[in-house]
Amino acid sequence: MDYSIIIKAAWEGYDASKKINKIEDISAMVSTNRVFKITFDDDDIIIAKLSYFGKYEHFKEDHRIIHSLSNNLLYPFENFLAKSLLKNNRVYIHHYKHRKVDAWVVFYNPTRIFDRMPRRLEEDHIRKLGQQVGKFHKACSRIKNVLPKSSKTLRTDIYSLLHQLEINEKRFGTAMQVDFLKYHCETFLRNRSKYTMSAFEIIPVFIDWNIGNFSVDSNMNLYSRWDYDWFRMSYRILDFYFLSRVVSDIGDRTVFSYGINTLMEDRFILFLEEYHQVNPLTANEIRFLKEAYRFFILNYVIKDGKYFFNEQYAKKLQSEAFELYLPSVDRDFDAEKIIRTLNLK
């Protein structure tokens, strides 16, 4: 796939009068999505994101919700999210189709970055991040009713995986592995009712939080956020697994895995205590943390892993999902410990 041809075609559809001078690939090379820095003849700069994973309709839907979110968030988050470029007052998304190539491109204004949090957080960083995420979730909650509707739900994604397990077993491994995945899908759906998830509030969530995709100001207040690969309208608890990784004792890492252990670290419980003071949690939301983790492994690692991650990471993570991640869900997470610490009933 010649990315430069797609980027140029996308830009010509946006504003052919402005000429591109240089296209630089600045992708993290972990996922199949690609990110480019575009410099024009007049030295202006924009960012392009190119994707060919999933469905164009979902990509378009997500970015229109994100645009509405970024436009409606109030102080202090009014400039927190990276802004997409608009054309005719709508987010401009170019759908490129040529022979076997089917890809789509969105353009962003470059994000202002203040400071990155350290790779391993100190206690005061953890406390501040807990407070800030609590405030950000409250800000998202206040405007949830004015955002465009989303077609994706956790249940439809799990049903999609179950359907794929029925029609294409070999793609997912041995018959025993397929039965193992079906068991976890069915457990998730059963616990969805057990924890009365239908009563949980639905807000915008970004899921993938890491040291490299948000910045903070000199007072450790959230300053800017970019990278929207796993954005969806869902439960705030979906954000918490990756936030547990941000505050974990091992800190940010270049070679990563997705173990559940960070959800039980005292450092994460400290984060939750601070969050809870700002934006109170319920006992059932804490119990649902393991289901949010189970969903992440089933949906983003098993169902979509080979499309989203590059091949090396996809094989590694999917192998670990069978050997480590899914067996640990019901064994290694103790919701009651967190519930007692937060004094919930």
Side-chain angles (χ1 to χ4, degrees):
M1 188 181 301
D2 190 333
Y3 298 114
S4 64
I5 290 176
I6 301 172
I7 296 294
K8 288 174 181 175
W11 184 256
E12 285 175 7
Y14 183 76
D15 183 3
S17 70
K18 193 174 177 74
K19 301 302 180 184
I20 293 175
N21 179 41
K22 184 166 58 173
I23 300 173
E24 300 171 76
D25 192 335
I26 57 172
S27 308
M29 299 303 178
V30 173
S31 78
T32 55
N33 289 329
R34 307 303 284 261
V35 182
F36 301 88
K37 177 183 175 183
I38 301 174
T39 306
F40 297 96
D41 285 347
D42 59 6
D43 294 329
D44 282 349
I45 294 170
I46 62 163
I47 304 298
K49 177 180 173 181
L50 183 150
S51 180
Y52 49 88
F53 150 71
K55 295 182 179 179
Y56 166 71
E57 291 75 17
H58 287 164
F59 185 88
K60 180 171 68 173
E61 179 181 273
D62 286 348
H63 280 81
R64 286 181 175 168
I65 296 171
I66 293 165
H67 171 68
S68 180
L69 175 65
S70 67
N71 197 53
N72 284 285
L73 280 170
L74 301 179
Y75 177 87
F77 301 110
E78 75 278 17
N79 294 313
F80 180 54
L81 301 177
K83 309 286 188 187
S84 301
L85 297 192
L86 306 181
K87 185 170 184 177
N88 299 323
N89 209 31
R90 302 196 79 177
V91 175
Y92 175 75
I93 302 171
H94 180 79
H95 193 177
Y96 181 93
K97 287 180 122 179
H98 182 68
R99 295 178 180 169
K100 292 184 179 181
V101 177
D102 187 5
W104 35 94
V105 178
V106 65
F107 296 111
Y108 297 99
N109 274 314
T111 307
R112 293 179 184 271
I113 299 174
F114 205 112
D115 289 325
R116 302 283 179 90
M117 281 191 148
R119 292 177 71 88
R120 184 184 182 278
L121 274 54
E122 301 297 334
E123 184 176 311
D124 59 330
H125 298 137
I126 296 172
R127 291 185 182 278
K128 188 70 177 185
L129 184 61
Q131 296 163 13
Q132 283 291 297
V133 174
K135 291 177 180 177
F136 178 62
H137 280 173
K138 284 182 82 169
C140 290
S141 173
R142 290 189 189 106
I143 62 170
K144 66 182 187 297
N145 293 330
V146 303
L147 300 178
K149 300 301 179 187
S150 173
S151 60
K152 290 185 295 185
T153 70
L154 306 192
R155 185 165 51 178
T156 57
D157 277 331
I158 293 299
Y159 280 141
S160 173
L161 175 55
L162 282 169
H163 178 66
Q164 291 177 40
L165 290 170
E166 288 292 339
I167 65 172
N168 192 9
E169 284 193 4
K170 290 183 180 179
R171 177 192 148 191
F172 296 95
T174 65
M176 186 177 294
Q177 287 175 318
V178 169
D179 286 343
F180 183 63
L181 293 176
K182 288 179 181 178
Y183 163 79
H184 279 280
C185 289
E186 289 158 2
T187 301
F188 173 84
L189 293 170
R190 186 167 60 250
N191 286 340
R192 185 182 177 279
S193 299
K194 178 181 176 181
Y195 300 139
T196 59
M197 285 166 54
S198 58
F200 294 177
E201 182 179 47
I202 292 177
I203 68 169
V205 290
F206 293 89
I207 301 179
D208 179 17
W209 290 84
N210 60 68
I211 295 299
N213 66 19
F214 71 95
S215 74
V216 295
D217 66 18
S218 56
N219 294 315
M220 291 291 162
N221 297 311
L222 290 175
Y223 182 78
S224 58
R225 163 78 212 231
W226 54 96
D227 181 5
Y228 308 142
D229 289 345
W230 291 339
F231 173 85
R232 64 193 302 144
M233 295 293 293
S234 193
Y235 314 118
R236 57 179 172 166
I237 298 300
L238 264 68
D239 271 350
F240 281 38
Y241 173 61
F242 271 82
L243 288 163
S244 79
R245 291 161 54 82
V246 172
V247 305
S248 67
D249 190 46
I250 196 172
D252 192 38
R253 60 226 109 160
T254 51
V255 178
F256 59 88
S257 61
Y258 288 136
I260 199 172
N261 57 300
T262 56
L263 287 173
M264 293 311 303
E265 286 189 25
D266 289 342
R267 292 163 65 91
F268 178 58
I269 296 175
L270 174 63
F271 168 92
L272 289 179
E273 287 181 290
E274 295 296 327
Y275 179 101
H276 182 61
Q277 293 297 316
V278 173
N279 197 357
L281 295 155
T282 67
N284 269 346
E285 284 181 304
I286 298 301
R287 294 184 182 105
F288 176 65
L289 272 172
K290 75 173 182 180
E291 298 308 322
Y293 172 79
R294 195 192 315 263
F295 174 82
F296 169 71
I297 300 301
L298 290 171
N299 190 63
Y300 292 107
V301 175
I302 296 295
K303 180 167 75 73
D304 293 337
K306 76 173 189 176
Y307 303 113
F308 180 78
F309 298 104
N310 70 37
E311 186 178 1
Q312 176 188 356
Y313 274 112
K315 286 183 178 179
K316 171 184 180 291
L317 295 173
Q318 289 177 341
S319 175
E320 290 177 352
F322 286 109
E323 296 171 13
L324 302 172
Y325 308 156
L326 290 172
S328 73
V329 178
D330 297 305
R331 182 189 66 213
D332 297 338
F333 179 73
D334 181 7
E336 300 309 313
K337 175 185 175 181
I338 301 174
I339 288 169
R340 287 193 301 270
T341 303
L342 298 183
N343 197 27
L344 298 173
K345 296 180 180 179

